Amino acid sequence: MPRVLALMAHPDDIEITCAGTLILLKAAGWDVHLATMTAGDLGSSTLPAAAISRVRRKEAAASAALLGAGYTCLGIADLTIAHTERHKRIVTGLLRAVRPDILITHPPVDYMADHEQTSYLARDAAFGSTIPNWKALPPIGVRSRKALPPCEALPALLFADPIDLATPDGGRARAHYVVDISPVLEQKAAMLAAHASQRAWLHEQHGEDEYLHWMRRVGVERAKDFGKRSVTHAEGFVPYLGHAFPKHDVLTTALGRGRVKTLRQR
Ligand SMILES: [Zn+2]
């Protein structure tokens, strides 16, 4: 069974940016695994880090369970994700355990360093995952694990949209592919709603259900690229086409032409 791994910085990043596409891949027969670098330990104004981390690990696992996916938290702390040897070896351990055909992560330019560093870590750890002399480490908090063999091949690497589709200069990020997620929008909303602590926090600040409204607004904005009235919500992706990484169009192959639109031909 082909397998997709989504690796992002914090709990709920996956749900916001690419859960619709993961739901479609699952329905198309793909095995899906979700992973976050952190447990979201800064995601509360009232609970201490250890307590909110426990809550958010459970929420992320509940979201993954709705999708029938596995979930791994790599145990790194919020705002400390860095392109270091140690973090690269930890991400390699994840890749050798999951062995994905597609790897989805943040784009290399996003609104904060945790996201950008995760993107670089994902790319370089994927590269290292196939190299026998590059040693992996287990996630933080996991004592020992038998050394896993190197991966046979590099995964196809896809960058999801930046948060709010925003570029640092205030522009709108361009996508290479857009995926029509209209039929699975409510499933995506249910996965995001599983992050109840974050939903409640935003609700308090805004006096309404901003968490889900926000996700829907971004989906509507990306759907404009599809240019079809029936497509109400979409997610965008840019493939990483650098040296050695697979270059074929994995999304259209997996989901079909009706569901994926290519905006930029190579
Ligand atoms: Zn994040």
Side-chain angles (χ1 to χ4, degrees), residues 8-13 106 111-112 114-115 163:
M8 297 215 173
H10 315 112
D12 81 6
D13 287 331
H106 295 290
Y111 83 107
M112 71 173 310
D114 271 0
H115 286 208
I163 299 301

Side-chain angles (χ1 to χ4, degrees), residues 190-236:
M191 285 178 68
L192 186 58
H195 295 271
S197 64
Q198 306 307 294
R199 188 183 184 187
W201 195 10
L202 271 188
H203 202 292
E204 244 169 62
Q205 287 174 336
H206 293 262
E208 55 181 284
D209 202 352
E210 174 61 12
Y211 203 43
L212 300 190
H213 292 331
W214 168 48
M215 178 276 285
R216 289 177 205 270
R217 272 199 310 275
V218 174
V220 167
E221 179 57 35
R222 192 44 105 198
K224 290 176 186 169
D225 293 323
F226 219 101
K228 208 167 148 190
R229 198 178 299 183
S230 60
V231 178
T232 59
H233 295 77
E235 291 168 345

Side-chain angles (χ1 to χ4, degrees), residues 153-187:
L154 289 177
L157 178 57
L158 295 173
F159 299 130
D161 279 326
I163 299 301
D164 290 332
L165 316 186
T167 59
D169 60 356
R172 182 182 189 274
R174 292 176 66 185
H176 187 125
Y177 301 111
V178 274
V179 177
D180 170 15
I181 62 159
S182 320
V184 297
L185 184 74
E186 292 316 312
Q187 285 167 265

